Amino acid sequence: MKGSIFIVSAPSGAGKTTLCRRLTDIVPRLVHSVSYTTRKPREGEVDGKDYFFVDEDAFMRMVGSGEFLEWAEVHGNLYGTSRTKLFEIIQEGVDVILDIDTQGAAQIRQRGVDATFVFVLPPSLEALSERLRSRKTDSEQVIARRLDRAREEISDYRLYDYVIVNDRLDVALNELGSVVQAKRLHISRIDHGWVKQTFGLKGDVS
Ligand code: ADP
Ligand code: 5GP
């Protein structure tokens, strides 16, 4: 059976990268999709692991060849999800988390891709601002731009299937894990052939 797709969006600084990375570290057969971006790497970020870092020309060539399932400009940089890489993962039966912004999530929704949409909220705008500063990766100018956009992004939360407030990290991690587990246990994901054979059911049980 093909893997499931989870879309996780949140305003920058809400903690979605932390949540997604921790979850993929502890849940088997769940990986984080690696996006392409024209943003410069932050200290400690690794090409091919955190992002595929490319220049604008290379990115726009990929746009031209239809390589992106979705792409968007976020905070002045371009970000996109490779169609090929994503489908390779789910063909293997592995579940995948896409940590993408609300514009990208809207494109995926419009395309009718079967996915579970999760929105992560910070507990408050003050906490969001504090987290952006504590990360020490962005200048004050960049932080101001990200905070400006936060309200706009948050206003899309109703379009998502699940909402998680990332106040205490361990609680939010458990909640995101529960969304993944619920999807895995859904009737649409069950191996009906196994049930039929194991319990000797007759006829069509689907
Ligand atoms: P995003 O990917 O949403 O932009 P990050 O995962 O980079 O956000 O988190 C932003 C900062 O907030 C990081 O320094 C991270 O360690 C911190 N952080 C994440 N979740 C929490 C939490 N629940 N409580 C306090 N700090 C957090
Ligand atoms: P950051 O630069 O902090 O890593 O990410 C900034 C924003 O870009 C975040 O909201 C993140 O979810 C979003 N983002 C990362 N990868 C993609 C992607 O492939 N597509 C889209 N649309 N947004 C992305």
Side-chain angles (χ1 to χ4, degrees):
M1 190 180 295
K2 280 200 288 187
S4 303
I5 300 174
F6 297 90
I7 309 290
V8 179
S9 301
S12 183
K16 68 184 172 312
T17 308
T18 310
L19 280 170
C20 294
R21 297 254 177 252
R22 293 213 184 179
L23 195 69
T24 52
D25 280 349
I26 55 178
V27 176
R29 299 191 77 69
L30 176 71
V31 300
H32 188 265
S33 157
V34 181
S35 297
Y36 284 79
T37 185
T38 59
R39 168 167 76 61
K40 297 278 167 283
R42 297 189 180 123
E43 211 181 304
E45 282 185 330
V46 178
D47 187 36
K49 180 170 172 282
D50 297 287
Y51 283 104
F52 294 106
F53 296 99
V54 294
D55 62 23
E56 205 162 321
D57 284 350
F59 192 98
M60 290 317 292
R61 272 199 301 277
M62 291 178 75
V63 170
S65 64
E67 179 48 34
F68 291 125
L69 176 63
E70 63 73 34
W71 68 277
E73 182 177 334
V74 190
H75 313 304
N77 296 300
L78 303 174
Y79 294 85
T81 304
S82 155
R83 200 185 284 278
T84 319
K85 290 205 159 55
L86 180 69
F87 289 118
E88 270 171 16
I89 296 170
I90 59 169
Q91 286 303 339
E92 292 287 307
V94 172
D95 295 340
V96 61
I97 296 193
L98 271 61
D99 156 355
I100 62 176
D101 88 314
T102 51
Q103 306 170 76
Q107 291 172 38
I108 292 191
R109 209 178 284 116
Q110 277 156 16
R111 285 175 204 271
V113 175
D114 180 23
T116 303
F117 294 81
V118 183
F119 200 89
V120 177
L121 284 171
S124 65
L125 281 176
E126 291 70 33
L128 186 68
S129 156
E130 214 168 274
R131 285 182 195 173
L132 282 170
R133 290 199 169 80
S134 74
R135 192 163 69 183
K136 296 192 166 61
T137 51
D138 302 302
S139 66
E140 278 301 316
Q141 192 192 3
V142 168
I143 290 176
R145 198 158 62 194
R146 287 176 184 238
L147 283 172
D148 270 351
R149 218 179 111 60
R151 264 206 202 84
E152 216 176 294
E153 288 171 310
I154 291 172
S155 65
D156 279 341
Y157 79 96
R158 281 171 184 275
L159 299 171
Y160 288 70
D161 300 312
Y162 298 93
V163 176
I164 292 175
V165 179
N166 180 22
D167 189 356
R168 271 185 48 198
L169 186 62
D170 55 341
V171 174
L173 186 62
N174 191 33
E175 289 173 348
L176 186 57
S178 301
V179 170
V180 172
Q181 293 305 344
K183 180 74 191 183
R184 287 183 173 184
L185 300 174
H186 193 266
I187 196 71
S188 61
R189 314 290 311 161
I190 298 303
D191 180 351
H192 298 292
W194 173 83
V195 179
K196 195 173 162 184
Q197 197 183 14
T198 307
F199 301 102
L201 305 186
K202 302 263 182 298
D204 184 10
V205 290
S206 59

